[in-house]
Amino acid sequence: MKYQFSNNVPESDEDPVGNILKVAGDPKIISFAGGLPAPELFPVEDLKKATNEVYDEAGRSALQYSIAAGLPELRKQIAERMKRSGIACDIDNIMITTGSQQSIDLTAKIFVNPGDTVIVEQPTYLCALDVFRSYGAHMVGVPMDDDGMKMDALEQAVKDNPNTKFIYTIPSFQNPTGRTMPAERRQRMIEIAEKYNVMILEDDPYGAIRFAGQDVAPVKTFDQEGRVIYMSTFSKILAPGLRIGWIVAEKSLVKKFTLMKQTVDVHSDNLTQHIIAKYMADYNIDDHIAKIREVYRKREGIMMAAIQKYFPQEAHYSHPEGGLFIWAEVPGVDTQTLFNTCIEHDVAFVPGEPFYADKVIPGTFRLNYSNMKEDQIVTGIKRLGNAIKEAIGSQVEV
């Protein structure tokens, strides 16, 4: 049978990233490909106790339908965390989502008509690009330097695309580059958004995982007109399998989000919301985050030292102060050739191509340090360095 798909469905069933992760899943391969938190840090026993207490104290209500905006107690706890980061809000400014991915999808659903422009960092989170494409967005990538998106280029992009609906940014420990945007650029981004009347979607899944340097206030803290939609998640600070995230926005906008969410899944998992709320009431999540920071600080340091030892001199790489990723560039190397060579050396990364909205920079790739034990990091980076040198040599010979 020939199915009559909508325009939102890709014509091809090819899944290059899925294929890469499948190859990287081979147990003999040391994989830096996934964006996975360290599973040994998940507070399994504490969550088990919290779950049992939820069943004992509120089992029937936790297993019942709930409101689309989310559990009031959890929203209250999130509002308190947001206030500590400088974002003024109460529970009516917050809606619970089914992970960050739903926050991105709902924002696109609310704002984007086919042909509308969405401006993104170049490169950026590949799954966000997939969402924006599915709604027919015209995506424009803005180049970055070590301090993130360049503001002069951003203003030019907005000026050149008057149908821009919003700017999508990951300002802290960006995926895939690990870069952080300084406060001055965040302030300038707000000024540009106000000047040209566009929205900003601030994606902040990694902001709490800072292990070096000084905290930088969210873009939302500079917002005086309600044009920033802030989003975050429990995936990196608790566990991704819980699939709970949230948005912070003006109350009138949260009402629109709530209406749109009801058409998708009625509400996010009610039992999981109760469990997280109970966990946060009974345990100090900041103590748990501190443990994550320390482990990631150590692993990033080990990976960076190994990169400096084993990578060729012509390789460039980011120096993150938090989050999960290091971004590397080897000028003049074909990324797919390099990936194939790395697989032969039993090590894997994510090639850079899927992270670009338009013009791709070859020889780029993302490395994850959070999900690998320390000894494997050193071994894997040594293998990767040898593979890079081999790939450079083979291309020079051609």
Side-chain angles (χ1 to χ4, degrees), residues 386-397:
N386 290 333
I388 292 172
K389 294 169 186 174
E390 185 176 315
I392 292 173
S394 67
Q395 294 193 179
V396 169
E397 291 171 8

Side-chain angles (χ1 to χ4, degrees), residues 190-266:
I190 290 288
E191 293 170 358
I192 292 169
E194 291 174 350
K195 180 178 179 180
Y196 295 95
N197 192 30
V198 299
M199 299 290 293
I200 297 171
L201 178 58
E202 179 181 13
D203 191 355
D204 189 28
Y206 315 106
I209 313 298
R210 174 178 283 280
F211 47 72
Q214 299 296 315
D215 286 331
V216 184
V219 176
K220 181 67 175 170
T221 62
F222 300 101
D223 181 21
Q224 301 297 319
E225 299 181 350
R227 64 178 64 254
V228 178
I229 301 163
Y230 175 94
M231 53 175 282
S232 191
T233 176
F234 287 102
S235 291
K236 308 305 184 294
I237 61 174
L238 203 52
L242 297 171
R243 306 310 305 134
I244 297 294
W246 68 89
I247 63 162
V248 183
E250 289 303 293
K251 294 177 182 180
S252 60
L253 187 52
V254 169
K255 290 179 181 178
K256 294 294 186 186
F257 270 96
T258 303
L259 289 172
M260 298 302 288
K261 179 176 172 59
Q262 286 173 339
T263 69
V264 176
D265 63 0
V266 182

Side-chain angles (χ1 to χ4, degrees), residues 333-369:
V333 171
D334 177 77
T335 313
Q336 189 58 51
T337 299
L338 176 58
F339 179 79
N340 294 338
T341 304
C342 284
I343 294 300
E344 294 173 3
H345 285 259
D346 293 330
V347 64
F349 57 76
V350 176
E353 282 84 345
F355 297 98
Y356 287 91
D358 35 53
K359 184 180 179 182
V360 173
I361 297 177
T364 55
F365 54 94
R366 190 190 74 181
L367 300 171
N368 167 260
Y369 49 78

Side-chain angles (χ1 to χ4, degrees), residues 68-69 75 93-97 106 245-247 254 257-258 261:
R75 288 155 60 209
N93 294 108
I94 294 169
M95 187 188 78
I96 304 299
T97 61
L106 287 173
W246 68 89
I247 63 162
V254 169
F257 270 96
T258 303
K261 179 176 172 59

